[in-house]
Amino acid sequence: MSDPSIPAPGSSGADSTGAAAPAANPPGSVILEMQDITKEFPGVKALSNVSMAVRRGEVHAICGENGAGKSTLMKVLSGVHPAGTYDGEIHFEGHLCEFNNIRDSEHAGIVIIHQELALIPEMSIAENIFLGNETAKSGVINWLSTRVKARELLARVGLEEEPDTKIRDIGVGKQQLVEIAKALSKDVKLLILDEPTAALNEGDSQHLLDLIAGLRSKGVTCIMISHKLNEIEQIADSITIIRDGKSIETLRVKEDGVDENRIIRGMVGRDLESRFPDHTPDIGEVFFDVRNWTVRHPSVADRLVAKHSDFFVRRGEIVGFAGLMGAGRTELMRSLFGRSYGTYVEGTILKDGKEVRLRSVADAIDAGLAYVTEDRKTLGLNLLDDIKRTTVSARLSRITHGFVVDEREEYNYAESYRKSLRTKAPNVNEGVSKLSGGNQQKVVLAKWLFTEPDLLILDEPTRGIDVGAKFEIYGIIQRMASEGKGVILVSSELPELIGLSDRIYTIAEGAVTGVLSREEADQESLMRLMTRRTHGGSEATTRESA
Amino acid sequence: MDKVKKIFGGDTRQLGMIFALVALIIFFQIWTGGLTLTPDNVINIFQQNSYILVLAIGMVLVIIAGHIDLSVGSVAAFVGICVAIAMRDWNLSWWMGIILGLAIGALVGAWQGMWTAYVGIPAFIVTLSGMLLFRGANQYVGKSNSVPVSEDFQVIGGGYLPEVGPDTGYNNLTVLIGLLLAVGIVVGSLRSRRALVKLGAEVEEAWVMWVRLGLICAAIIGATLLFGSGRPGTSFPISGIILAVLVLLYGFISNRTVIGRHIYAVGGNRHAAELSGVKSKKVNFLVMMNMSILAALAGMIFVARSTASGPSDGVGWELDAIAAVFIGGAAVTGGVGTVVGSIVGGLVMAVLNNGLQLKGIGADATQMIKGLVLLVAVAFDVYNKSQGRVSLLGMLTRNFRRGGSDDDSAAPPPPSAATETTPVSETIRQSS
């Protein structure tokens, strides 16, 4: 199988100084081969006979639904699951590998960057880069050379920060770059990225993809796990699809002319007719109206996180909120939801024409608001709880007599929501920690639907959820709208916003910068509004009545 | 083993502790040549440990909420001396003394709760401070003297159910309570089962329920006869009754009431709880305050039993109570634990103490053994977790393991591969 050296599609902005890969190992030869990997956990077969080959100097994407076994496969490769706990063989650079831990695999040049970043917030960039790999002589660290080396590495990943800056002072996008710098410090040959752009906005994502393309041109091979199919289409040279713990196929993006639909077909084993379910909006009158909403940052007194924002929601309407990371969408929503973020300065909320003052989350719930948090695990769920307790937790008063919880009603309600949202679990006594991301999200939705809200605020409701579950969640959102509830949808995925919303507000630096109807909205116009500079006021907000 | 699990419920940890307790009792019964299960000794175990068990009830709630309370021993001693002096100097009756004691406990608890919940100082620090503060206050108020308490007050620590009715050879009231309890449990189980069937929920097989009920009733009747057949004048101790009432009350509160749910929610994930409308500060305040009220009660029971309040009462109690809670299956990180588990944990320690004492083992060896038991009990759980068995603590740690992303992380069994399906009745039963 001869293969022309692969050009880097989409490596437009990257600095490709073009140091070629070592001559002895021509690009295109196989660097990694995994054969018949089978991994069993008590009671479950997570991987069965997975085989894949990665060629030198390519970006190889691994696609599959949640629970398909992608992360497990990468854990086998990186030694998290040590040799002997799985069947099958791994050949890296022609050698049979038997890694006992991550150290072994890093020694061989395989570095994995997990979805949840493994950086220590209170330590500096330089300290984090060399953590566990310190430049030291008999245990004493040479700080000078540490800093110098850190600076070089930061330049390679295009991060303009001082090595002494603490991790907690830089954003997620930059933290991701630090992780990559850390990998580069270990002389990485094969870099594994698990959902690298999941928490990044479009700009940071693009920067990261450019960087990956740049690394490729310098001979670093990448394996990338991602749910964002447009990114995969843009950057990957090959794609291996995993479904139900089995490797289904490996596609060559160029030769096979792969597009998103082709990938989806492989992942779910069928064609998805459409990415979004059919929905005919039935929009009523304005019932939720926010005026001049202004909120101060909780600790920085002179910083406004919401600036004189005006917007409204009509019954049966799905209203999108677009904005870059850090634009203040989450902060705005949380400040509306019982002032659970920031310090209230001014502004009014009118619900059904009457002003409501929501001073606590309990007030907001009583007023018919529900807020599905952006971060499921740290803000949305108590992972120790089971489905039924979670379902009723936001409005226990619905099933209490006096102070006593009626466990029969609890079971009944939880069961009925489980059925209507089609949450996959043996029963409602199952712990939520055992569910997949999509099903956890359904439990969170059930919890908020149980409060019988009029306005459902959804903050990144499909983050980290696979394609099939996304489709179902879209359906649930549309069903809520059809029942006459208002829905606010905050999302970083523009196609999702455009596909679902009846109207989309754009936010930049805490202020509403524009509003587009369903017909007007496309990625370009949204992006333009999302990046518009604000001039300290809300003059950009034009109220339109369509 | 599966059948055993069905009978006792799915929680490996709690099951393990109950078996450990039974095994321990049998072991000491044999080793001491039958001295363990005599009426006098069993009554003694309860009287000697009731105050620690009362503390464990409060402590488990504190630990579930994610805190710790180091001050309970000092608070108990402080309340004890205040009550003893007040009753002596102001001639208060026994019940006024108790009310005064509980009120002081509430004030102390409000003090500690305020700092913990509203100022936001970690409970470890607040109660470490309280430990010094109230120990000193005890010695200041009592001038480091012992103060005796009246005989009618002594009943709550050293008293028994009175003899009433015909002479049956047993204490009639004890037997009556035992029978009522057994009947109550049988009727309750049958009713909740019937209700579940009506709902169309899965129920356990009938034999499982009957075997379990049989075992529970046998244990209750055995205990009843044991307590009822002691020396004339002794029977089920009053402190045991106080404890039993508290266990039922707090077991109910922790599982079936709004505040109970909120305690678990705050301990499990405070942010998620707050965004669900839980007022976490209020929960933390109440939990800390409740602990001090129970510490006050424990202090009074102890004073009543030892007939006087002294300057070194309650030293080291906090550690006994905390050990009981952790042996009983609570997690250091909060969110996990049960009232009943903590009582079982406390009883394991109590039986161990008592048995070693009966054999004349010295305090030095006893302490070493108790320390190792605590370690082994928690190690048992950690081992279980590493074997991938279902356990609460295991569920907890699995989710915080590095890189455990929710999609294809370690071993979440697919929903189809039905994991151990605990019938609904199990969970509902556990809550009563």
Side-chain angles (χ1 to χ4, degrees):
Chain A
M1 218 167 65
S2 70
D3 186 56
S5 70
I6 304 140
S11 68
S12 49
D15 57 327
S16 357
T17 39
N25 296 312
S29 64
V30 170
I31 184 170
L32 170 77
E33 184 151 30
M34 300 180 84
Q35 286 169 343
D36 294 326
I37 305 290
T38 299
K39 169 77 189 164
E40 281 181 68
F41 292 108
V44 221
K45 208 170 199 177
L47 296 172
S48 59
N49 299 316
V50 172
S51 298
M52 64 179 281
V54 177
R55 290 179 295 179
R56 191 177 304 278
E58 71 169 352
V59 174
H60 194 114
I62 298 182
C63 293
E65 292 193 272
N66 287 338
K70 306 177 299 267
S71 294
T72 308
L73 183 65
M74 289 306 106
K75 282 177 184 165
V76 167
L77 175 56
S78 59
V80 174
H81 298 312
T85 63
Y86 58 88
D87 297 323
E89 289 188 349
I90 300 173
H91 295 271
F92 183 63
E93 302 238 69
H95 303 292
L96 176 66
C97 297
E98 284 175 340
F99 302 133
N100 287 315
N101 48 46
I102 299 190
R103 247 194 143 76
D104 287 356
S105 65
E106 287 188 350
H107 202 71
I110 300 175
V111 178
I112 182 161
I113 297 179
H114 290 283
Q115 191 176 355
E116 281 119 32
L117 300 180
L119 298 172
I120 298 169
E122 286 301 325
M123 288 169 78
S124 73
I125 292 178
E127 282 173 304
N128 268 290
I129 289 179
F130 292 101
L131 188 63
N133 188 22
E134 287 85 359
T135 317
K137 202 175 256 177
S138 33
V140 181
I141 294 175
N142 182 344
W143 283 114
L144 187 67
S145 93
T146 299
R147 270 193 213 98
V148 171
K149 281 202 226 163
R151 201 163 272 140
E152 278 170 27
L153 289 165
L154 292 180
R156 275 181 75 186
V157 299
L159 178 59
E160 287 167 13
E161 287 286 346
E162 280 301 308
D164 290 331
T165 312
K166 283 191 177 164
I167 291 296
R168 66 175 161 83
D169 295 329
I170 60 177
V172 200
K174 289 181 175 177
Q175 289 179 4
Q176 188 71 263
L177 297 180
V178 173
E179 276 277 15
I180 293 177
K182 184 175 173 179
L184 293 179
S185 78
K186 294 171 186 159
D187 292 326
V188 60
K189 291 179 188 135
L190 175 64
L191 183 63
I192 305 166
L193 300 148
D194 191 352
E195 295 275 357
T197 60
L200 304 188
N201 61 34
E202 304 251 339
D204 283 347
S205 298
Q206 191 54 49
H207 183 79
L208 188 73
L209 295 179
D210 291 343
L211 176 66
I212 293 170
L215 291 175
R216 166 171 61 190
S217 68
K218 288 176 193 159
V220 177
T221 313
C222 280
I223 293 180
M224 183 168 132
I225 297 176
S226 179
H227 285 302
K228 296 191 179 167
L229 302 184
N230 56 337
E231 293 177 356
I232 290 174
E233 196 188 341
Q234 178 193 335
I235 194 165
D237 303 302
S238 313
I239 301 171
T240 294
I241 290 174
I242 295 186
R243 191 201 309 154
D244 302 330
K246 300 183 187 77
S247 45
I248 302 299
E249 56 190 344
T250 295
L251 306 167
R252 304 270 172 237
V253 175
K254 277 274 143 99
E255 293 87 324
D256 300 350
V258 174
D259 63 3
E260 286 187 36
N261 289 332
R262 175 69 189 83
I263 304 174
I264 292 174
R265 196 160 68 230
M267 280 164 62
V268 298
R270 59 177 192 279
D271 276 310
L272 275 184
E273 301 279 293
S274 146
R275 303 271 297 276
F276 302 96
D278 283 333
H279 173 64
T280 317
D282 173 20
I283 296 176
E285 79 283 16
V286 174
F287 81 106
F288 188 79
D289 197 349
V290 176
R291 291 184 185 163
N292 195 27
W293 193 253
T294 306
V295 175
R296 211 182 306 135
H297 190 272
S299 52
V300 187
D302 55 350
R303 205 174 129 203
L304 294 180
V305 290
K307 294 175 194 156
H308 314 286
S309 299
D310 295 309
F311 61 90
F312 62 93
V313 182
R314 290 176 286 207
R315 289 199 182 276
E317 189 180 36
I318 301 174
V319 177
F321 273 79
L324 297 170
M325 181 95 20
R329 294 164 302 170
T330 296
E331 290 79 359
L332 172 64
M333 295 310 155
R334 283 186 62 180
S335 69
L336 289 174
F337 191 62
R339 302 185 188 170
S340 52
Y341 180 88
T343 317
Y344 170 82
V345 179
E346 60 176 334
T348 48
I349 301 174
L350 299 174
K351 188 162 173 287
D352 298 315
K354 275 182 286 211
E355 181 174 354
V356 286
R357 289 171 194 275
L358 312 175
R359 291 205 170 82
S360 67
V361 172
D363 286 352
I365 294 173
D366 288 343
L369 268 65
Y371 173 62
V372 174
T373 54
E374 148 185 56
D375 188 333
R376 209 165 38 240
K377 281 189 193 161
T378 62
L379 297 177
L381 284 174
N382 175 0
L383 291 167
L384 301 170
D385 250 349
D386 53 28
I387 296 175
K388 63 177 162 30
R389 280 169 163 246
T390 307
T391 305
V392 299
S393 63
R395 199 171 161 204
L396 272 176
S397 61
R398 232 183 122 183
I399 54 157
T400 50
H401 309 297
F403 285 105
V404 181
V405 177
D406 187 326
E407 293 189 321
R408 278 172 214 151
E409 284 188 34
E410 171 180 75
Y411 181 87
N412 283 347
Y413 275 119
E415 191 60 34
S416 71
Y417 280 106
R418 183 176 78 82
K419 283 186 184 131
S420 73
L421 300 186
R422 296 202 286 144
T423 311
K424 275 185 214 142
N427 57 48
V428 291
N429 296 317
E430 190 79 351
V432 290
S433 64
K434 288 193 195 162
L435 304 177
S436 72
N439 286 311
Q440 282 183 347
Q441 190 68 327
K442 287 184 188 172
V443 174
V444 176
L445 282 172
K447 162 178 153 182
W448 287 109
L449 294 180
F450 178 73
T451 66
E452 300 182 307
D454 299 324
L455 177 71
L456 197 56
I457 306 173
L458 306 169
D459 199 346
E460 305 283 3
T462 62
R463 174 175 291 174
I465 288 176
D466 63 66
V467 178
K470 266 186 188 174
F471 189 81
E472 286 190 63
I473 295 216
Y474 295 153
I476 295 168
I477 294 172
Q478 292 171 339
R479 201 159 27 138
M480 293 309 114
S482 304
E483 286 172 14
K485 300 181 196 306
V487 178
I488 289 181
L489 175 68
V490 175
S491 176
S492 292
E493 287 182 43
L494 294 181
E496 177 174 294
L497 276 179
I498 295 165
L500 283 177
S501 310
D502 300 312
R503 218 152 39 89
I504 303 176
Y505 286 99
T506 55
I507 303 243
E509 294 173 24
V512 174
T513 54
V515 58
L516 296 173
S517 68
R518 186 189 201 92
E519 294 71 30
E520 297 166 319
D522 57 35
Q523 301 216 21
E524 228 172 282
S525 56
L526 284 173
M527 197 49 105
R528 212 163 29 241
L529 287 171
M530 282 155 64
T531 51
R532 179 188 285 187
R533 294 269 131 196
T534 54
H535 304 289
S538 57
E539 82 265 49
T541 324
T542 43
R543 253 163 200 270
E544 56 127 42
S545 44
Chain B
M1 189 64 196
D2 270 357
K3 287 186 179 173
V4 176
K5 260 192 175 171
K6 268 188 195 166
I7 292 168
F8 291 99
D11 187 350
T12 325
R13 179 66 178 275
Q14 218 153 44
L15 187 63
M17 282 333 292
I18 290 172
F19 275 126
L21 181 60
V22 172
L24 207 60
I25 292 172
I26 293 171
F27 169 76
F28 279 119
Q29 174 73 354
I30 295 167
W31 198 30
T32 58
L35 289 178
T36 303
L37 286 180
T38 61
D40 283 354
N41 190 53
V42 175
I43 289 170
N44 196 25
I45 291 180
F46 264 82
Q47 285 195 329
Q48 268 182 353
N49 294 284
S50 54
Y51 49 91
I52 294 293
L53 297 175
V54 168
L55 289 176
I57 293 172
M59 192 65 81
V60 71
L61 299 181
V62 169
I63 286 174
I64 290 168
H67 305 293
I68 196 107
D69 194 333
L70 301 175
S71 69
V72 292
S74 296
V75 172
F78 173 63
V79 170
I81 196 75
C82 289
V83 169
I85 287 179
M87 289 202 305
R88 184 191 66 187
D89 292 355
W90 303 338
N91 265 326
L92 296 184
S93 61
W94 64 271
W95 58 269
M96 285 164 81
I98 292 175
I99 290 173
L100 176 72
L102 294 177
I104 298 173
L107 279 179
V108 167
W111 165 260
Q112 304 204 109
M114 175 194 80
W115 288 103
T116 308
Y118 293 105
V119 185
I121 297 176
F124 187 94
I125 307 291
V126 171
T127 59
L128 185 61
S129 145
M131 184 180 176
L132 299 168
L133 187 62
F134 296 109
R135 173 62 54 198
N138 161 282
Q139 290 166 3
Y140 175 78
V141 171
K143 303 190 175 58
S144 295
N145 289 325
S146 260
V147 178
V149 290
S150 64
E151 265 183 37
D152 43 359
F153 187 80
Q154 287 172 19
V155 169
I156 64 164
Y160 302 97
L161 289 174
E163 299 283 353
V164 289
D167 183 4
T168 52
Y170 291 100
N171 177 279
N172 292 332
L173 275 180
T174 305
V175 173
L176 184 66
I177 290 176
L179 286 178
L180 284 179
L181 189 64
V183 171
I185 288 176
V186 171
V187 171
S189 294
L190 288 176
R191 278 178 61 177
S192 78
R193 183 187 174 84
R194 208 178 311 133
L196 283 169
V197 171
K198 224 188 242 171
L199 284 174
E202 314 170 43
V203 289
E204 58 193 344
E205 296 122 286
W207 70 266
V208 174
M209 182 187 67
W210 285 114
V211 170
R212 184 174 57 232
L213 285 178
L215 284 174
I216 292 173
C217 289
I220 290 174
I221 289 166
T224 305
L225 297 182
L226 203 55
F227 280 114
S229 62
R231 280 181 291 116
T234 68
S235 66
F236 195 66
I238 300 290
S239 56
I241 289 181
I242 296 175
L243 180 68
V245 169
L246 289 177
V247 169
L248 290 178
L249 178 68
Y250 280 90
F252 183 80
I253 288 176
S254 65
N255 268 296
R256 293 289 305 277
T257 64
V258 175
I259 180 71
R261 289 292 176 89
H262 285 181
I263 293 171
Y264 280 95
V266 167
N269 185 340
R270 187 168 64 85
H271 299 295
E274 284 173 355
L275 285 172
S276 305
V278 175
K279 298 191 161 111
S280 66
K281 286 180 180 171
K282 188 172 133 198
V283 170
N284 287 334
F285 178 82
L286 288 177
V287 161
M288 294 307 288
M289 180 153 119
N290 175 66
M291 177 77 259
S292 290
I293 295 174
L294 287 179
L297 184 59
M300 289 189 284
I301 292 174
F302 180 79
V303 167
R305 180 177 145 75
S306 54
T307 70
S309 166
S312 59
D313 290 357
V315 171
W317 286 7
E318 58 281 339
L319 300 181
D320 283 338
I322 292 168
V325 169
F326 284 129
I327 291 178
V332 189
T333 39
V336 180
T338 59
V339 170
V340 174
S342 305
I343 294 296
V344 173
L347 285 175
V348 166
M349 284 299 213
V351 170
L352 196 63
N353 239 343
N354 173 268
L356 294 172
Q357 246 169 31
L358 287 178
K359 286 304 288 184
I361 310 279
D364 46 359
T366 305
Q367 287 203 43
M368 290 194 275
I369 292 171
K370 278 164 72 182
L372 290 174
V373 165
L374 172 63
L375 197 60
V376 168
V378 178
F380 170 78
D381 188 64
V382 172
Y383 173 77
N384 259 336
K385 182 206 77 187
S386 69
Q387 297 298 298
R389 296 202 190 107
V390 184
S391 99
L392 283 173
L393 210 67
M395 268 167 56
L396 177 82
T397 37
R398 182 178 304 152
N399 287 290
F400 289 100
R401 229 181 276 162
R402 180 165 168 250
S405 57
D406 67 338
D407 58 349
D408 351 358
S409 76
S416 54
T419 51
E420 209 177 321
T421 48
T422 330
V424 191
S425 53
E426 296 280 329
T427 15
I428 288 182
R429 183 183 55 75
Q430 281 166 5
S431 50
S432 49

